[in-house]
Amino acid sequence: MAVSRRDHLVETALTLFNAEGYHATGIDRVLSTAGVAKMTLYKHFKSKDELILAALRRRDTRFRRWLRRGAEHKSAEPRAQMLAIFDVLGEWIRSPDFHGCMFINAAAEYGDPEHPIHLAATAHKNALYDWLRALAEQAGAARPGDLAAQLLLLKEGAIVIAQVNRQAPSAQQAKKAAKALIEAALGD
């Protein structure tokens, strides 16, 4: 199936923004890498910010689906899935296309909490929290919101440490801490 010019542009932007950052990647770089004219860009997007938002929406959908499927592939049990998240993260961190979290990077580059790009990052993290909360509820946690927030904090911290120091076994260390938190929350 042929990829539309819009989809090709979004894919190219997603790859470049992930590897090089949002402010550091100019529109001309995106256009030359995608092999499209500026008119093509402005036919589909009014601004670079709109292109960034489209790339973030695509990344959000893919990342959350990938993380969920990876956890579900490792176990059907919610408790085990909460731990499996860190195994899946470890695989990503060790991959050559790991450049940290596009949403953490977006929030850092667009620090105004009301900016649409910052809001997209917030929505992504909120969706991950909601999923973790649902897993914690299914596993029988007395305070699923607390456990979800703690697991999300560990997940995000593991990503940041890995981005700063690729040699750090952050996902494995986060998994150890998550195991202790899950055991405490479930009364084991």
Side-chain angles (χ1 to χ4, degrees), residues 19-83:
E20 300 172 9
Y22 301 98
H23 293 311
T25 305
I27 285 297
D28 290 338
R29 171 105 165 91
V30 174
L31 296 175
S32 67
T33 303
V36 299
K38 201 170 265 191
M39 282 189 62
T40 301
L41 170 73
Y42 291 113
K43 176 182 174 186
H44 298 289
F45 304 100
K46 293 178 184 173
S47 65
K48 180 181 174 183
D49 283 2
E50 281 192 11
L51 179 60
I52 291 170
L53 287 168
L56 286 172
R57 280 190 293 273
R58 185 162 296 178
R59 179 64 179 165
D60 171 60
T61 299
R62 283 185 185 161
F63 183 84
R64 288 188 300 118
R65 182 182 312 135
W66 167 81
L67 188 60
R68 174 174 272 182
R69 285 182 179 165
E72 289 171 350
H73 177 74
K74 293 185 182 296
S75 178
E77 298 298 319
R79 176 188 184 130
Q81 287 176 11
M82 289 186 284
L83 284 175

Side-chain angles (χ1 to χ4, degrees), residues 29-186:
R29 171 105 165 91
V30 174
L31 296 175
S32 67
T33 303
V36 299
K38 201 170 265 191
M39 282 189 62
T40 301
L41 170 73
Y42 291 113
K43 176 182 174 186
H44 298 289
F45 304 100
K46 293 178 184 173
S47 65
K48 180 181 174 183
D49 283 2
E50 281 192 11
L51 179 60
I52 291 170
L53 287 168
L56 286 172
R57 280 190 293 273
R58 185 162 296 178
R59 179 64 179 165
D60 171 60
T61 299
R62 283 185 185 161
F63 183 84
R64 288 188 300 118
R65 182 182 312 135
W66 167 81
L67 188 60
R68 174 174 272 182
R69 285 182 179 165
E72 289 171 350
H73 177 74
K74 293 185 182 296
S75 178
E77 298 298 319
R79 176 188 184 130
Q81 287 176 11
M82 289 186 284
L83 284 175
I85 289 165
F86 298 96
D87 296 327
V88 176
L89 282 180
E91 294 166 10
W92 173 44
I93 288 168
R94 291 186 298 275
S95 74
D97 67 335
F98 176 77
H99 302 285
C101 174
M102 287 186 72
F103 300 93
I104 293 170
N105 296 342
E109 288 194 44
Y110 293 86
D112 176 0
E114 298 303 317
H115 192 286
I117 292 171
H118 194 101
L119 290 170
T122 301
H124 171 76
K125 300 305 178 187
N126 288 342
L128 288 169
Y129 167 82
D130 291 343
W131 174 55
L132 289 169
R133 182 183 171 97
L135 286 176
E137 285 175 359
Q138 293 166 20
R143 297 174 63 179
D146 287 350
L147 180 57
Q150 293 162 355
L151 295 176
L152 185 61
L153 183 63
L154 288 172
K155 175 199 156 296
E156 299 303 321
I159 293 168
V160 171
I161 293 298
Q163 184 176 2
V164 172
N165 180 0
R166 291 289 298 252
Q167 304 304 315
S170 59
Q172 296 89 342
Q173 292 300 323
K175 183 178 179 180
K176 288 178 186 177
K179 184 176 183 200
L181 290 170
I182 292 166
E183 287 173 357
L186 300 180

